[in-house]
Amino acid sequence: MTREELKFISSSAEQSIEFAKKIAAYLDPPSLILLKGELGSGKTLMAQGIASALGYEDEVTSPTFNLVQEYRAAQEIIHMDLYRLDKSEELIEIGFEDYLNRDAVILIEWPEIALSLIPADFIFIEIIKKTNDKREIIISGEGKKAERLVERLFKNVNSRD
Amino acid sequence: MLILGIDTSTDYLALSLLEDNLVKAEYNLSLKRQHSEKLLPLMEELFQTFAIKAQDLDAIAVSIGPGSFTGLRIAITTAKMLGRIFDIPVKGISTLEIMAAGQRADYILTMLDARRARVYYSFYSRKKADFKTDLEKKLNLKELYQASSIKIEQLAELLSAYKGEEILLLGDKTDKAAEILKRENFNVITADPENNYPRSAVLARLGRDYINLGQEDDIYQLKPAYLKKPQAELNWQQKYGG
Amino acid sequence: MNAKRNYKNKEDDIFILALESSCDETAASVNKNGLEVLANVVSSQVELHQKFGGVVPEIASRKHLELLLPVIDEALEKAGLEFRDLDAVAATYGPGLVGGLLVGLTAAKAIALSLEIPLIAVNHIAGHIYANFIDNPQIKKPLICLTISGGHTDLLYFEDLKGYEILGRTRDDAAGEAFDKIARYMGLGYPGGPAIEKAAVEGDPQAIDFPRAVMADNSFDFSFSGLKTAVMNYINNQKQKGKEIDQADLAASFQEAVVDSLSSKLLEAVKKYDIKSVVLSGGVAANKRLREVVEAELKEVEIEFYYPSLELCTDNAAMIGAVAYYQYLDRDFASLAISADPSLKL
C-alpha cells in the first residue's frame, strides 16, 4: 500500500503557523495528530497553529513536564509531549488510552514511544529542519478519514501556489 | 436490604435503588460528561422522593468501567465516602458485566466503544454447563474472556471457538460487529435499544448478589478498572520510524 | 431544591472538614472557628511526579482517589472528631487540574449529602491568602494583600476577613510566569523564580535598565509582557553583536524590574488606602529581594508587614478551611450541582 504524502516547505515560523491553520481547517474531530521532529524543529509551533485555528486563544506551550495539557475551546484540545517517557508501559500510567478515547483533537509531540499503542486513523506530521528557518513538513494520513484529509489538503495547497 | 447503584462509566448517568427484590427506582440518563454536576443532586432528589436518608442505605454497588477515568472516579469517590461514613459494604462491578447480566442468552459479547475501530469487550457464558465455581453458579454468569480491547475487525478471530453457537452482541458498535461476524458465518443476534446499555437496576442487583456472597470490596483499595496494555497489532514503528 | 441544611450561628463553635486536591498534594484538615487548625494532613505525591519534572494529571488524579480516604481518616482522628461532629464540609473547586479537583469536590458533595451539612466551595487562591491569617491571626485590618504566583498577580483590599476587593491584577503574564519564561530563555531551568533569584545574587541590579510598565489609566494593574519582550530582545541583540551576556547582571536587572513594578504599585495602593498591614502570598512571595524592598518601604510609612511560613505557602487544606469558615458565616454555600472550574479566577 502506498501512502499519500504531502510535502510542504516552510521558510519561516509564520508560514508554518499558516500551514498548521490549513490543516486545522480540514479536521473533523475526534482527530489524532502525531508530530515528529527533532528538538527545536517546530512541533509546538504546529500545535500552536492548530489550537489557535480551533479557537483557543491562550498561549500554547510544550507540555514537556506535565506530559498532557488540555485546552478548552469550542473543540476540546489535548496536547501531549511524550519526550520524557522511557517505556511504553508508562503510557498506561498517564492514562494514554483514556485520552485517545476522548472526543477531542489530540496533538502528540514525540509520539514514537506510543506508536505501538496508537490505533488506526491518525495524521502523521514529520518536520525536518533544513536550515535555521527553513523546514520541510511531510504529512501523511493513516486510515480513510486521515487519508482523505491529506488529499484535500494537497489540493488546497497546490491550487493556491 | 436497600442498595444504591451508581454508574458514571459511560455517557449514561445511571442511578438505582433496589430493596431486596424490588426495583424502587432506576435512572438511566444519557448525559454526556455532566456526571459531576448531576450525580449528587439526582441522589438527593431520589432520597427526597422516597423520604429516605443516606443513612438508610445498606449497601452500594458501583460501576468500575471500563470507561472514562474522570467519569468513573465520580461514582467511585461517592461510593467510597458513603461506604466510609455509614460503614456499609461497597461492591465495584465491571460495566461489561452489567450489560451481560441483564440479558438471557447462552453466549454474550459485550462491547464499549474504544474509538478508532476498537472496542473494549468481555465475553460471557450464561450456559449452566459452563459454570464451575459457586460464584458462577449463583450469578448464572461466567466470564470466558477477560475484559480487554481489540480491533473490531479481529472479533471473528477472537470468537472462532464459538462459531457454531448463537452469540448475543450487546453495547456499542453491535451493528458493525454483527456485519463482520455474519460475513464469517457466525450466528449472531443483537438486542433492542432498551437492553443495549448498562442498566443501573442490573448493577444494583449484581451488587446485592455479590455482597450476599461475601464478595464486597475494600473501599480503601477500590479503583477504576484501568485496563492493561493492549496487544500491539500494527508495527507503526517500522513504518514511521522510532 | 437543596434539602434543608442545618447550620449554626457565630456564637457556637464551628467545625469544618476541608479537602484540597487541586494539584499534587492530597490534603484534609479540620478547622475550629476558621483559624484554629485542629488537624492539617498533607499527603504529597511530589515524588511520583519528580521523574517527569512536572505534575502529570492522570497520575495525580489516581493518587488523589487512593489517598483521600486515609487522609480524611487521619485528619478526623487527629482532631478527635467523628463525621457527625462536623458542621460543614469544604473543598477546593478551582483553579487546578480538573481530574484531581473532581475527586475532592465529589467527596465533599457526598459528605454534605450524607451528613446533611452545608457544602462550601473554596477558591484555591483565596486559600493561599488566608494562609497568612492562620499564622498571624493578630494581623491588623484593614489590609492589602499582594498575591503573586505562577498563575496570579492580584492586589487585594480586605476590610475584614469576610471578603475582599480587587484593586489591581495583571493584564498579561503573572509575575511567576514572567520568572519562568525568562529563566527558560536564559537556560536557567524550572521553576524560574528560585533559579533567577540564585543567578542574581552576584549580579548588579542596575546593570541593564529594563522598562517598568506604566498604566495609562493610573490603575493598580500590572503588566509584565513588555518587560519580558525587552529582556528577550536584549539577549538576542547581544547575541547578534557577538557580545557575551553576563547572566548574573541580567538576572539581577530583570528581578529588580519585577520587584520594582510590584513594590511601587503596592506602595501607591498603601498610600491611597487607609490600611494597617500588608501581606504577601503565593510562590513569588518567597523572593527575598521582594520581601527586602517591601519591608524597607513599609517601615518608612509604619505599616505592618507579613508573609506566610513555608509550610502554609505550599498547598494544604487548612487554608481552604479558613476561607470556608468566613463563607460559612456569610451562608455562602454551594449547591450539590457545582462543578470544578480548572481556570477559576479570584
Side-chain angles (χ1 to χ4, degrees):
Chain A
M1 195 177 77
T2 54
R3 248 186 324 146
E4 278 284 350
E5 271 188 1
L6 167 60
K7 283 188 187 166
F8 177 81
I9 301 289
S10 161
S11 25
S12 67
E14 290 72 31
Q15 274 190 17
S16 296
I17 288 264
E18 282 312 307
F19 186 61
K21 286 183 175 171
K22 277 184 192 165
I23 299 173
Y26 288 108
L27 290 177
D28 172 21
S31 316
L32 178 58
I33 301 159
L34 311 185
L35 294 156
K36 184 187 174 183
E38 60 178 294
L39 274 172
S41 58
K43 298 180 292 298
T44 305
L45 199 68
M46 295 296 286
Q48 272 167 11
I50 292 171
S52 112
L54 293 172
Y56 182 71
E57 285 168 2
D58 284 346
E59 197 179 18
V60 169
T61 53
S62 166
T64 314
F65 297 104
N66 10 7
L67 310 181
V68 187
Q69 277 161 196
E70 294 184 36
Y71 312 125
R72 304 252 155 175
Q75 174 61 52
E76 198 181 0
I77 305 165
I78 297 167
H79 185 188
M80 300 193 209
D81 180 337
L82 307 180
Y83 181 70
R84 298 180 79 88
L85 295 187
D86 306 321
K87 300 189 295 267
S88 61
E89 283 73 32
E90 289 170 342
L91 288 162
I92 309 292
E93 282 173 48
I94 69 160
F96 185 74
E97 271 204 282
D98 202 38
Y99 286 111
L100 287 192
N101 293 342
R102 295 260 289 270
D103 245 327
V105 171
I106 305 169
L107 301 155
I108 306 181
E109 299 187 32
W110 298 99
E112 289 86 343
I113 196 162
L115 282 169
S116 68
L117 286 189
I118 288 172
D121 294 325
F122 57 84
I123 297 154
F124 192 83
I125 303 179
E126 182 167 7
I127 310 168
I128 299 163
K129 200 169 168 177
K130 293 288 186 189
T131 65
N132 219 355
D133 296 318
K134 202 170 156 190
R135 300 284 184 277
E136 183 178 23
I137 303 172
I138 308 167
I139 301 198
S140 56
E142 192 66 53
K144 280 202 190 90
K145 208 173 112 184
E147 280 168 23
R148 215 159 42 231
L149 178 139
V150 175
E151 268 169 44
R152 292 172 64 197
L153 190 66
F154 191 77
K155 280 181 197 147
N156 170 307
V157 171
N158 285 343
S159 66
R160 299 254 175 104
D161 283 346
Chain B
M1 189 179 189
L2 190 63
I3 299 146
L4 184 74
I6 316 171
D7 184 351
T8 53
S9 66
T10 69
D11 283 352
Y12 282 93
L13 172 59
L15 189 65
S16 63
L17 196 59
L18 179 75
E19 189 165 31
D20 301 324
N21 261 322
L22 173 71
V23 177
K24 299 191 77 157
E26 179 180 22
Y27 292 92
N28 298 286
L29 310 175
S30 180
L31 290 167
K32 225 173 178 179
R33 297 201 107 205
Q34 294 179 47
H35 299 341
S36 154
E37 293 93 322
K38 304 284 191 205
L39 175 62
L40 272 296
L42 198 65
M43 283 170 61
E44 183 171 50
E45 190 188 306
L46 179 69
F47 294 165
Q48 280 170 359
T49 305
F50 287 94
I52 59 169
K53 288 177 180 295
Q55 67 194 49
D56 298 329
L57 297 172
D58 296 305
I60 311 285
V62 63
S63 167
I64 54 165
S68 147
F69 295 152
T70 303
L72 281 165
R73 279 190 282 263
I74 291 165
I76 293 175
T77 302
T78 305
K80 278 179 183 241
M81 289 317 309
L82 290 168
R84 168 66 182 83
I85 293 171
F86 301 116
D87 195 17
I88 52 175
V90 174
K91 174 65 189 172
I93 292 164
S94 150
T95 311
L96 295 161
E97 182 174 343
I98 299 167
M99 281 196 279
Q103 290 297 300
R104 292 279 168 183
D106 282 354
Y107 294 99
I108 303 176
L109 178 74
T110 54
M111 294 174 289
L112 290 164
D113 191 2
R115 295 281 158 79
R116 296 178 186 85
R118 295 180 72 89
V119 285
Y120 298 115
Y121 72 91
S122 199
F123 187 56
Y124 298 92
S125 167
R126 304 212 69 176
K127 213 169 148 178
K128 285 216 157 46
D130 286 338
F131 303 151
K132 298 276 185 312
T133 67
D134 277 355
L135 193 65
E136 287 162 8
K137 285 174 193 158
K138 286 192 172 130
L139 292 171
N140 258 307
L141 191 72
K142 180 190 177 74
E143 191 181 39
L144 295 173
Y145 296 158
Q146 268 198 328
S148 184
S149 74
I150 192 172
K151 273 195 96 165
I152 299 180
E153 294 290 340
Q154 292 177 321
L155 282 173
E157 205 179 306
L158 176 83
L159 299 174
S160 56
Y162 296 88
K163 209 162 185 169
E165 309 285 348
E166 186 178 80
I167 301 170
L168 171 63
L169 306 181
L170 285 178
D172 298 331
K173 301 284 168 194
T174 49
D175 289 347
K176 178 78 185 158
E179 185 194 313
I180 288 161
L181 290 168
K182 277 178 182 162
R183 207 164 55 209
E184 301 290 327
N185 296 316
F186 277 83
N187 179 11
V188 292
I189 51 172
T190 52
D192 291 318
E194 72 276 16
N195 294 317
N196 212 19
Y197 61 90
R199 303 250 320 232
S200 62
V202 180
L203 165 64
R205 193 261 298 160
L206 279 173
R208 178 199 69 186
D209 292 349
Y210 273 109
I211 287 166
N212 282 337
L213 292 165
Q215 299 272 320
E216 65 178 88
D217 284 314
D218 174 358
I219 52 170
Y220 289 86
Q221 303 296 327
L222 188 65
K223 60 184 181 196
Y226 300 117
L227 284 185
K228 296 283 173 296
K229 189 181 170 182
Q231 289 286 310
E233 299 133 11
L234 276 168
N235 205 345
W236 297 131
Q237 263 113 341
Q238 274 180 3
K239 203 161 165 186
Y240 291 94
Chain C
M1 66 169 260
N2 282 323
K4 193 172 141 267
R5 305 252 181 268
N6 308 309
Y7 48 77
K8 292 183 188 163
N9 291 316
K10 201 179 174 175
E11 305 77 54
D12 304 311
D13 281 339
I14 289 156
F15 297 97
I16 297 178
L17 171 71
L19 311 176
E20 153 65 39
S21 58
S22 65
C23 194
D24 60 349
E25 322 271 5
T26 314
S29 69
V30 180
N31 292 27
K32 180 181 170 187
N33 301 331
L35 302 180
E36 190 180 331
V37 180
L38 303 183
N40 187 20
V41 181
V42 180
S43 181
S44 177
Q45 325 172 353
V46 169
E47 277 172 30
L48 268 180
H49 301 284
Q50 235 155 26
K51 175 172 182 307
F52 302 106
V55 181
V56 181
E58 175 60 23
I59 295 178
S61 301
R62 287 186 188 192
K63 214 62 197 170
H64 286 307
L65 182 70
E66 186 187 316
L67 293 172
L68 197 63
L69 265 190
V71 163
I72 292 173
D73 285 351
E74 193 183 332
L76 286 172
E77 200 191 320
K78 278 195 176 155
L81 295 180
E82 306 269 348
F83 273 109
R84 63 168 179 273
D85 301 321
L86 299 173
D87 296 302
V89 58
T92 306
Y93 77 112
L97 297 167
V98 70
L101 287 167
L102 281 175
V103 172
L105 185 61
T106 303
K109 286 183 185 185
I111 295 168
L113 178 67
S114 297
L115 303 175
E116 298 181 9
I117 55 175
L119 171 70
I120 302 169
V122 175
N123 184 318
H124 182 83
I125 312 157
H128 277 297
I129 297 165
Y130 281 69
N132 276 292
F133 310 131
I134 295 175
D135 275 345
N136 301 292
Q138 79 287 3
I139 299 178
K140 289 191 191 113
K141 289 151 268 264
L143 61 86
I144 280 178
C145 175
L146 178 63
T147 301
I148 28 179
S149 69
H152 311 276
T153 308
D154 300 303
L155 195 59
L156 311 161
Y157 172 82
F158 286 75
E159 183 77 46
D160 50 39
L161 293 190
K162 278 166 98 182
Y164 40 81
E165 185 190 332
I166 298 171
L167 304 179
R169 56 189 357 168
T170 182
R171 294 195 178 171
D172 35 62
D173 290 344
E177 213 176 338
F179 271 111
D180 284 342
K181 284 177 183 167
I182 294 302
R184 212 173 291 150
Y185 212 72
M186 291 175 67
L188 294 176
Y190 181 89
I196 296 228
E197 193 171 357
K198 199 175 153 206
V201 172
E202 301 290 316
D204 172 11
Q206 315 301 334
I208 312 152
D209 188 20
F210 288 125
R212 274 68 163 159
V214 181
M215 290 298 142
D217 53 5
N218 261 332
S219 78
F220 292 112
D221 283 352
F222 303 91
S223 165
F224 296 101
S225 73
L227 170 62
K228 189 182 70 187
T229 312
V231 176
M232 289 181 176
N233 286 343
Y234 173 83
I235 296 173
N236 292 338
N237 282 339
Q238 296 298 103
K239 273 185 190 162
Q240 266 172 10
K241 287 182 202 159
K243 285 189 190 165
E244 207 172 303
I245 296 167
D246 186 321
Q247 293 273 79
D249 281 353
L250 179 59
S253 301
F254 165 70
Q255 174 176 269
E256 196 66 10
V258 176
V259 166
D260 205 16
S261 306
L262 291 169
S263 62
S264 60
K265 283 277 175 224
L266 176 61
L267 209 70
E268 275 175 48
V270 166
K271 283 174 182 159
K272 183 170 170 187
Y273 292 85
D274 186 18
I275 53 151
K276 299 217 162 54
S277 7
V278 163
V279 302
L280 295 185
S281 82
V284 182
N287 186 285
K288 288 196 195 69
R289 180 68 189 146
L290 177 68
R291 289 179 178 183
E292 221 173 80
V293 170
V294 172
E295 188 149 31
E297 284 174 347
L298 290 176
K299 210 168 204 172
E300 262 175 49
V301 288
E302 291 178 352
I303 301 278
E304 288 179 19
F305 177 50
Y306 301 91
Y307 43 83
S309 65
L310 196 63
E311 55 185 2
L312 286 171
C313 255
T314 52
D315 288 353
N316 64 86
M319 66 185 197
I320 302 301
V323 181
Y325 172 75
Y326 295 97
Q327 289 184 220
Y328 185 100
L329 295 182
D330 276 349
R331 307 287 183 246
D332 178 8
F333 303 141
S335 133
L336 292 176
I338 191 169
S339 191
D341 184 350
S343 47
L344 184 67
K345 305 272 189 295
L346 253 191

